[in-house]
Amino acid sequence: MKIAIFGGSFDPVHAEHINMVKAAIDSLGVNKTIIVPAFVAPHKQGRAHADPQDRLNMVRLAFEGIRNCEVSAFELNAGGTSYTYITLGYFRKKYPDAQLFFLVGADMLKDFYTWKEPETILSLCDLVVCNREGEKVNFALEQLKFFSTFHKKFKVIEYTGRDISSTKARVLCAFGEDLRPYLPDCVIEYIEANQLYRIDGVKGALKYLKPARAKHTLRVALTAAPFSAKYKLAENDVIRAAAFHDVAKNMDLNDSELSGFVPPEDVPSQVLHQYTGAYVAEHTFGVSQEDVLDAIRYHTSGRPNMSDLEKLIFLSDMLEPGRDFPGIKKLRKLFDTDLNDCMRLALKLTIKHLKRSKGKIYPLTFAAYEYYKELTDRRKT
Ligand code: FE
Ligand code: FE
């Protein structure tokens, strides 16, 4: 008997998870696939968004009609951090004669080396890497590295799927976007009925935006949210800051939302909305986290010594996929590797652009550039 085991946070389960399993069933000829939602995935300490029971319920709904699939609550019942080698040990005992496969997405391959007891995992099962068509992973190279470390090869399955991740699904959900291309209907209904992945104020903020600005705002959130874990930020704060960053873009100082607002001195018109935006987020929507308010407050000008959230929103605003300007490719690369290097170049390009277009340059932007120039220079020496 051949059994495939598929673990993950499933926060929420989405169409790509299902496509992966279907591809594995077809190409490996497995008799059974066991889906195992993690209580706390090791690489996502404390970062689950929906309750374990809700995640389990969604996985059950999603895989109900798919042949030879069953859902195991083993890791949820065990509680604590869910380690794959323990889970596989359990299923090895339960099915001593079966050939076990463990399914992972191609993005997991580079992390596998840091998992707990990878050799034990490979003694219990064959690792199967599911790669979505069109994604660029150099499997020949990965296979060499893998073999030289573990003296065993992994298998690769190609499958077709939409561009979706659970993070993207959560952002789309918070923004009230159509989830049908990405999640099964039964999961969407469950999310709606149980009001999962909602973030206070996000939909309200969107009502203040013209359609093109709302789309830009969504793209900023989609650009920023995947970095939440890397910078140890609460994903909801990242999404909230993105949702509000341009909330006052189309407001007038006479609008009732801005009564009591005192503009800082000599703010150029294109920078003003960062201050009015923070004001509206705080006073109209009750956003109270200082870090979120500061990310809104400095998203256009920047400032010296920004927090990671401030940098993330500043740069996501500048680099979201709807943007295009000379130098953006290099900036996007730096964005993935180092926020301070990226800030330095982003501010340099901003100042250059403003000088060329004879726009007024806000002193805070100069100060921010000097700060990041000095910081990154100092680091190099
Ligand atoms: Fe803005
Ligand atoms: Fe913006």
Side-chain angles (χ1 to χ4, degrees):
M1 181 151 85
K2 289 179 175 180
I3 300 175
I5 316 250
F6 183 32
S9 298
F10 302 109
D11 196 11
V13 58
H14 54 68
E16 199 182 311
H17 293 134
I18 297 166
N19 290 330
M20 264 170 75
V21 166
K22 283 181 176 165
I25 292 171
D26 290 343
S27 60
L28 300 171
V30 293
N31 313 84
K32 189 202 286 274
T33 305
I34 307 174
I35 326 294
V36 195
F39 185 72
V40 180
H43 57 290
K44 294 185 181 167
Q45 293 289 359
R47 301 228 169 246
H49 299 270
D51 288 343
Q53 189 61 49
D54 284 325
R55 291 187 284 115
L56 177 67
N57 291 345
M58 287 190 279
V59 170
R60 283 197 171 128
L61 287 167
F63 285 97
E64 208 161 44
I66 298 171
R67 77 189 148 97
N68 302 335
C69 283
E70 61 180 58
V71 177
S72 164
F74 171 74
E75 290 188 355
L76 293 180
N77 292 339
T81 303
S82 312
Y83 290 110
T84 299
Y85 80 98
I86 293 175
T87 303
L88 283 169
Y90 165 79
F91 285 112
R92 167 54 65 222
K93 243 186 208 157
K94 191 168 172 187
Y95 302 103
D97 302 320
Q99 185 180 2
L100 296 183
F101 299 94
F102 188 70
L103 309 180
V104 295
D107 54 326
M108 285 287 171
L109 195 55
K110 62 181 187 312
D111 294 337
F112 184 75
Y113 302 84
T114 65
W115 288 18
K116 220 170 179 190
E117 306 216 13
E119 287 88 1
T120 310
I121 293 173
L122 293 173
S123 72
L124 293 165
C125 73
D126 289 320
L127 190 71
V128 179
V129 179
C130 305
N131 186 50
R132 194 174 54 214
E133 267 178 6
E135 228 147 315
K136 292 181 195 83
V137 181
N138 187 338
F139 282 111
L141 210 69
E142 291 293 340
Q143 195 70 270
L144 270 175
K145 185 181 168 199
F146 195 87
F147 193 80
S148 70
T149 312
F150 301 116
H151 310 292
K152 194 173 173 177
K153 285 183 170 182
F154 57 80
K155 288 186 199 310
V156 180
I157 295 177
E158 295 278 347
Y159 71 99
T160 48
R162 301 290 300 266
D163 174 22
I164 183 68
S165 65
S166 293
T167 306
K168 183 172 178 179
R170 290 193 297 271
V171 174
L172 293 174
C173 196
F175 273 71
E177 289 289 309
D178 184 8
L179 293 165
R180 281 172 299 179
Y182 308 113
L183 309 188
D185 289 347
C186 52
V187 173
I188 296 173
E189 281 162 25
Y190 187 92
I191 288 172
E192 282 171 4
N194 293 281
Q195 306 194 0
L196 304 180
Y197 310 118
R198 292 196 172 186
I199 301 175
D200 286 346
V202 168
K203 284 185 197 164
L206 297 174
K207 289 195 185 120
Y208 284 84
L209 303 175
K210 291 180 177 165
R213 181 69 49 188
K215 280 189 185 143
H216 156 71
T217 296
L218 172 62
R219 292 193 299 265
V220 173
L222 288 169
T223 302
F227 290 91
S228 310
K230 181 173 176 185
Y231 298 112
K232 299 191 168 52
L233 299 166
E235 187 183 278
N236 283 6
D237 288 350
V238 174
I239 297 173
R240 193 177 282 122
F244 279 102
H245 85 281
D246 276 343
V247 71
K249 189 87 179 180
N250 303 113
M251 281 185 193
D252 187 280
L253 286 178
N254 297 318
D255 285 346
S256 60
E257 285 83 358
L258 293 173
S259 72
F261 170 77
V262 183
E265 262 172 50
D266 292 331
V267 186
S269 57
Q270 81 273 10
V271 176
L272 182 65
H273 76 284
Q274 64 180 18
Y275 295 109
T276 50
Y279 189 86
V280 171
E282 184 175 4
H283 292 88
T284 306
F285 289 94
V287 174
S288 58
Q289 304 99 312
E290 269 313 309
D291 202 22
V292 173
L293 293 173
D294 282 340
I296 304 165
R297 194 175 281 130
Y298 300 106
H299 83 264
T300 307
S301 65
R303 65 164 172 169
N305 198 17
M306 294 161 85
S307 70
D308 285 340
L309 180 60
E310 289 174 45
K311 287 181 265 189
L312 193 55
I313 297 301
F314 179 100
L315 293 169
S316 299
D317 185 28
M318 196 167 173
L319 302 176
E320 57 96 342
R323 304 282 198 198
D324 197 14
F325 53 85
I328 198 167
K329 253 194 177 164
K330 188 168 180 206
L331 271 179
R332 285 189 174 131
K333 259 196 190 146
L334 288 176
F335 184 55
D336 284 332
T337 51
D338 191 290
L339 291 186
N340 293 331
D341 285 339
C342 193
M343 280 304 302
R344 173 187 179 151
L345 183 58
L347 289 158
K348 186 179 173 182
L349 293 176
T350 302
I351 290 169
K352 197 170 150 191
H353 169 78
L354 286 170
K355 274 186 180 161
R356 199 174 286 162
S357 60
K358 309 231 177 326
K360 197 172 155 192
I361 302 170
Y362 196 36
L364 205 51
T365 303
F366 273 127
Y369 173 62
E370 287 305 322
Y371 177 88
Y372 284 101
K373 184 173 179 293
E374 209 216 314
L375 180 78
T376 50
D377 278 344
R378 206 179 335 134
R379 230 178 20 187
K380 273 174 207 142
T381 52

